[in-house]
Amino acid sequence: NAGVTQTPKFRVLKTGQSMTLLCAQDMNHEYMYWYRQDPGMGLRLIHYSVGEGTTAKGEVPDGYNVSRLKKQNFLLGLESAAPSQTSVYFCASTRSLQGTGELFFGEGSRLTVL
Amino acid sequence: GNSVTQMEGPVTLSEEAFLTINCTYTATGYPSLFWYVQYPGEGLQLLLKATKADDKGSNKGFEATYRKETTSFHLEKGSVQVSDSAVYFCALESGNTGKLIFGQGTTLQVKP
């Protein structure tokens, strides 16, 4: 069972470069999320999607863009990377908003911006 | 706004010791509460949950009780194992949005 798959798992960028992180889920989940994890700060929500073709801002959206053209994929883009975006990025998905709270997470993508 | 506060780590215990990781929250309404665990090199996994006051969530020997009066959801385990070494996150979901608010995480290291 693949679950939630993130690519790439590691990436080093120079300031100003752009890149896209891909999240793919094979569970037919409606809801998808991008979080970033920083030491001492837990996980913070960047953007999320409640269905194909929809996106919305989370807690820390600045400097990021997202797209959900297909239900199974949720892309996170950095147009002009900054050192402050050095972080570990996690994608998550869930089927229902019935208060179950069970998000399924990918293994993370570690991004370093020099 | 809604927030979650966890005890500072790291927490270092010997095998078979009793574990408590404190978690308190601030939220409007009646949020659902969760504990997630992150093993080294992996994503987060749901450990247990409670959706209303006085509910007790339990899984793999871990327990947590939703205490509305003290706005707390402390994680406990009676006898930890080396394999429990991980980072533990407390989280809340308010209003059936699917958006979780996480605490900062507490690292647990269990020594043989």
Side-chain angles (χ1 to χ4, degrees):
Chain A
N1 292 339
V4 178
T5 303
Q6 294 181 226
T7 53
K9 289 187 169 42
F10 300 94
R11 183 74 187 269
V12 178
L13 290 178
K14 295 181 180 178
T15 297
Q17 287 185 318
S18 64
M19 74 158 297
T20 300
L21 296 175
L22 170 63
C23 175
Q25 53 92 5
D26 61 0
M27 298 173 284
N28 200 35
H29 285 173
E30 286 292 334
Y31 308 96
M32 298 186 74
Y33 309 83
W34 275 108
Y35 285 89
R36 59 177 289 174
Q37 182 182 27
D38 302 293
M41 301 187 74
L43 278 75
R44 292 179 292 167
L45 182 63
I46 305 170
H47 285 282
Y48 64 101
S49 169
V50 299
E52 182 179 315
T54 74
T55 63
K57 294 180 180 180
E59 180 185 357
V60 287
D62 293 344
Y64 305 95
N65 57 75
V66 288
S67 65
R68 183 99 181 269
L69 299 180
K70 294 182 179 181
K71 185 177 184 178
Q72 63 268 33
N73 295 338
F74 194 30
L75 279 64
L76 178 71
L78 285 71
E79 290 187 348
S80 178
S84 60
Q85 294 177 303
T86 294
S87 187
V88 180
Y89 292 86
F90 286 97
C91 177
S93 70
T94 190
R95 178 186 310 280
S96 168
L97 294 186
Q98 295 306 311
T100 63
E102 184 163 11
L103 298 188
F104 292 83
F105 282 82
E107 294 184 347
S109 298
R110 183 175 294 275
L111 174 65
T112 301
V113 182
L114 303 176
Chain B
N2 297 342
S3 65
V4 176
T5 302
Q6 293 179 230
M7 63 186 290
E8 292 281 339
V11 175
T12 302
L13 296 174
S14 298
E15 207 164 21
E16 300 183 2
F18 184 86
L19 168 71
T20 300
I21 299 178
N22 291 338
C23 171
T24 58
Y25 68 89
T26 301
T28 55
Y30 303 96
S32 296
L33 301 174
F34 310 92
W35 278 99
Y36 276 78
V37 59
Q38 183 181 30
Y39 297 104
E42 299 183 9
L44 281 71
Q45 306 171 26
L46 180 64
L47 180 60
L48 54 84
K49 66 184 181 187
T51 57
K52 61 183 186 296
D54 300 325
D55 269 1
K56 176 185 285 187
S58 61
N59 186 27
K60 299 181 180 179
F62 291 90
E63 294 183 339
T65 301
Y66 190 143
R67 302 287 188 197
K68 186 172 182 295
E69 63 276 12
T70 55
T71 61
S72 64
F73 193 54
H74 305 321
L75 182 68
E76 296 181 336
K77 186 175 186 182
S79 176
V80 294
Q81 305 301 312
V82 172
S83 58
D84 293 326
S85 298
V87 182
Y88 292 82
F89 292 91
C90 186
L92 69 82
E93 179 197 16
S94 181
N96 284 355
T97 62
K99 293 185 289 183
L100 297 185
I101 296 171
F102 288 88
Q104 66 268 42
T106 301
T107 299
L108 170 65
Q109 183 178 22
V110 180
K111 296 185 174 181

